[in-house]
Amino acid sequence: MICVQRTEIAIVGAGPAGLSAAASAASAGAAVTLLDRQEQCGGQLIKQTHAFFGSEKQYASVRGIDIARLLTEQVRALPNVEILNEATVLGYYQDDGVLAFEKDDRFQKIKPERLIIATGASERTLAFPNNDLPGIYGAGAVQTLMNVYGVVPGRRVLMVGAGNIGLIVSYQLLQAGVEVAAIIEAAPKIGGYLVHAAKVRRMGVPILTSWTIKMAHGQDAVEGATIWQLDEKWQPVPGTERELEVDVICIAVGLSPLAELLWQAGCAMKYVPELGGHVPVRSELMETTVPGIYVAGDVAGVEEASSAMVEGRLAGLAAAQSLGYGLTDAAGLIEEAQRQLESLRCGPVGEKIRRGLAQVGR
Amino acid sequence: MLEKTGVPTEQDLAGVIPPRERLARGPVAVIECFQRIPCNPCYTACKQGAIREFADINDPPVIDFDRCNGCALCVSKCPGLAIFVVDETYSADRALVKLPYEFLPVPARGQEVDLLNREGRVVGRGRVERVQNAKVQDRTLIIWVAVPKELSMEVRNIKVGDCQ
Ligand code: SF4
Ligand code: SF4
């Protein structure tokens, strides 16, 4: 017999958004169950060895790895949070409001009164000949290898993508003593923060905008890559090919929200390229179109971890408040979180996010 | 151009390099942060009130060179590693550049190192005068390197030879 556990708020994903949601919901008084498939909380933060941007309120100047530790400690200190690590959520059954997960080789069920989905995002891939050769990695995999397991992926890397992830992982590769042959970017402009770009440039790494990969070479593993230039219409220009001798090709071309649970739960979804793909329609309090189901972090739209933490806080507060908790100061805290999100997004780099968010209001 | 190459142009730099008179008075910060991004730790780090309070967190930092004493507190607090301190009064022909450094090997005091510009090209040799690695710096070291004076606004990185 499978017995159904109960909780007030279940949170799926213990990355920056999920941890922040757990902290705020539990601080307001709600009983929280936090599920994550990894053995360790923190999500992608546990690979981020660089210091974060933002303001003090979002842990600016603190390294991602340390933010993971701080948030985890904060959540662990709250007696009304149960953390289930190595618990892979398998599905949500909206008819009975049951969340199914696998843990300890057992199929288990939990019935929450509120659900916060903070599953994050997955890396996009790129289609090019030989892209299945060993030695071709997503940037997240390279970070996991290096920063979680202490293994370098190879000797010489071609980085594809000059967004923040491509730039940061290039810097981390250099720190690990791995050569970066070049960073190529199909767009005519560097997508990531220019201060990150300057950091790798002064290490001697070229950044080639309007360039893309044509193909990878190698017998049993990557031995090289052909890159070529793109014109203003993003079309490759024959004759501009260059050969690079590399044993690793790292793909950092963006993320897509991991929204399967939201689809399954019947939340209204919308395709918004600015936010990385299909994202849920939601209220200002991060509630989806299915009452009681909230979202936070990259699953709601791919952004920086600083915004994910604030969104998590907001979703946690709103979910707790809807259960009758934290009524005295909840309104003020919610307003404060919304103000922080607004300020993080109000600059030019947030322009795309603002355009995307304008399309998903409920 | 900066957006295409990652290297600031002379025009970009002209807006952030301290005036000659200020450089003649001793160490001062050069903040090479040109883009509007949501970030403000340089402001919160500065105890001298030299960096103006951000009305909007996306504002690029604005520094008052007269208040800045070149203490370099902001250098390791900047997540973009975009701040350098330059002291052109260091000696008759040498300037001191204090730069953020997060690589191995860590140079020793007195060691000769390659001096790199913003593109990572070697532009000369210099001597490490001091290595700052206090706890508050949180593993972002600050290397004080003496460079030929005419390179004070060129040198933004060092390359430490393998000590085999
Ligand atoms: S060097 Fe010191 S005084 Fe100058 S801006 Fe930085 S922290 Fe402030
Ligand atoms: S801390 Fe650094 S990156 Fe952030 S605004 Fe100040 S100078 Fe720019």
Side-chain angles (χ1 to χ4, degrees):
Chain A
M1 190 196 89
I2 301 169
C3 46
V4 179
Q5 310 166 46
R6 284 176 187 274
T7 188
E8 288 182 322
I9 302 177
I11 302 173
V12 185
L19 283 170
S20 306
S24 70
S27 302
V32 172
T33 304
L34 177 62
L35 303 101
D36 193 278
R37 65 178 175 197
Q38 300 296 330
E39 64 269 17
Q40 195 181 347
C41 292
Q44 297 300 307
L45 288 176
I46 65 165
K47 315 174 193 174
Q48 311 308 328
T49 50
H50 62 285
F52 274 46
F53 293 77
S55 79
E56 272 170 346
K57 290 176 199 131
Q58 302 99 28
Y59 299 97
S61 272
V62 182
R63 295 177 190 276
I65 39 174
D66 297 322
I67 299 177
R69 195 174 37 75
L70 290 168
L71 285 176
T72 307
E73 278 167 12
Q74 192 190 346
V75 170
R76 280 200 193 288
L78 292 160
N80 45 341
V81 184
E82 180 189 23
I83 303 177
L84 301 177
N85 283 114
E86 293 180 273
T88 307
V89 171
L90 304 167
Y92 178 73
Y93 302 97
Q94 51 166 321
D95 293 345
D96 352 83
V98 165
L99 194 68
F101 63 98
E102 182 274 331
K103 181 172 167 61
D104 304 328
D105 291 324
R106 277 178 46 229
F107 182 82
Q108 308 186 41
K109 294 198 256 176
I110 190 164
K111 192 173 159 121
E113 288 170 46
R114 299 286 183 272
L115 182 59
I116 301 176
I117 308 284
T119 41
S122 64
E123 292 192 276
R124 294 207 193 121
T125 55
L126 201 60
F128 55 88
N130 293 332
N131 76 350
D132 57 347
L133 279 174
I136 301 179
Y137 296 87
V142 165
Q143 277 194 313
T144 305
L145 268 182
M146 290 198 301
N147 302 350
V148 181
Y149 299 110
V151 176
V152 291
R155 286 178 305 106
R156 195 161 194 264
V157 178
L158 168 65
M159 180 65 66
V160 183
N164 273 336
I165 297 180
L167 297 172
I168 288 167
V169 175
S170 295
Y171 184 73
Q172 294 175 354
L173 282 159
L174 296 166
Q175 286 181 307
V178 179
E179 210 184 317
V180 179
I183 301 172
I184 58 173
E185 167 60 58
K189 281 188 204 164
I190 294 168
Y193 292 170
L194 297 176
V195 284
H196 280 315
K199 261 164 43 175
V200 293
R201 288 296 281 123
R202 60 180 186 260
M203 295 297 296
V205 178
I207 300 177
L208 305 172
T209 42
S210 297
W211 281 77
T212 191
I213 183 164
K214 184 180 183 188
M215 65 185 301
H217 308 281
Q219 277 298 319
D220 304 318
V222 172
E223 289 163 25
T226 306
I227 59 172
W228 58 353
Q229 210 165 359
L230 298 173
D231 63 21
E232 309 83 74
K233 295 188 191 101
W234 297 62
Q235 294 306 306
V237 184
T240 58
E241 288 91 343
R242 266 198 229 167
E243 303 297 326
L244 296 174
E245 201 196 304
V246 290
D247 62 348
V248 173
I249 299 171
C250 184
I251 309 293
V253 294
L255 304 171
S256 302
L258 265 174
E260 288 84 351
L261 283 173
L262 297 170
W263 285 105
Q264 204 193 2
C267 301
M269 302 293 285
K270 207 162 170 187
Y271 184 75
V272 183
E274 291 91 340
L275 299 178
H278 279 99
V279 290
V281 174
R282 72 281 196 148
S283 70
E284 298 222 306
L285 295 175
M286 304 308 292
E287 191 174 17
T288 66
T289 53
V290 176
I293 300 186
Y294 296 77
V295 286
D298 277 359
V299 71
V302 175
E303 258 186 283
E304 293 298 319
S306 34
S307 320
M309 288 187 270
V310 185
E311 274 188 355
R313 226 149 58 212
L314 182 56
L317 281 166
Q321 195 191 29
S322 75
L323 290 169
Y325 289 107
L327 287 176
T328 44
D329 54 350
L333 291 169
I334 284 172
E335 219 174 278
E336 162 67 12
Q338 284 169 333
R339 223 182 359 252
Q340 283 185 35
L341 280 173
E342 215 169 284
S343 86
L344 286 172
R345 290 165 176 158
C346 74
V349 279
E351 205 264 331
K352 197 171 86 172
I353 303 295
R354 294 198 302 276
R355 242 188 300 131
L357 289 174
Q359 303 168 48
V360 293
R362 210 183 65 183
Chain B
M1 272 311 276
L2 170 61
E3 285 182 328
K4 280 189 184 298
T5 63
V7 179
T9 60
E10 273 186 31
Q11 231 174 348
D12 294 324
L13 291 170
V16 301
I17 291 179
R20 198 179 295 266
E21 313 82 71
R22 176 61 189 86
L23 285 166
R25 274 192 279 124
V28 62
V30 181
I31 306 185
E32 303 190 3
C33 177
F34 305 100
Q35 186 182 28
R36 286 172 52 80
I37 53 174
C39 184
N40 71 6
C42 49
Y43 158 69
T44 42
C46 182
K47 301 275 179 285
Q48 304 302 319
I51 296 175
R52 193 192 296 164
E53 184 170 358
F54 287 56
D56 166 354
I57 192 171
N58 293 278
D59 289 342
V62 177
I63 181 170
D64 179 343
F65 293 122
D66 290 326
R67 284 196 175 196
C68 171
N69 64 6
C71 71
L73 256 180
C74 54
V75 172
S76 58
K77 283 286 172 205
C78 166
L81 305 188
I83 309 180
F84 306 84
V85 167
V86 171
D87 180 3
E88 295 205 341
T89 65
Y90 188 62
S91 78
D93 60 341
R94 302 251 134 184
L96 200 62
V97 177
K98 303 181 189 177
L99 47 84
Y101 189 77
E102 299 185 324
F103 286 85
L104 292 171
V106 174
R109 183 180 185 161
Q111 194 172 340
E112 293 281 324
V113 293
D114 279 336
L115 304 173
L116 309 184
N117 68 5
R118 294 181 184 85
E119 290 168 55
R121 255 190 312 110
V122 178
V123 290
R125 295 277 287 173
R127 208 176 94 110
V128 172
E129 301 294 319
R130 195 172 157 191
V131 175
Q132 271 183 295
N133 187 11
K135 197 151 184 238
V136 294
Q137 291 171 236
D138 190 19
R139 293 155 284 176
T140 300
L141 276 54
I142 301 176
I143 309 289
W144 298 24
V145 60
V147 311
K149 206 172 256 184
E150 65 278 11
L151 294 180
S152 69
M153 292 301 159
E154 290 291 309
V155 174
R156 289 298 176 261
N157 193 11
I158 55 167
K159 191 172 160 67
V160 183
D162 294 326
C163 16
Q164 278 155 9

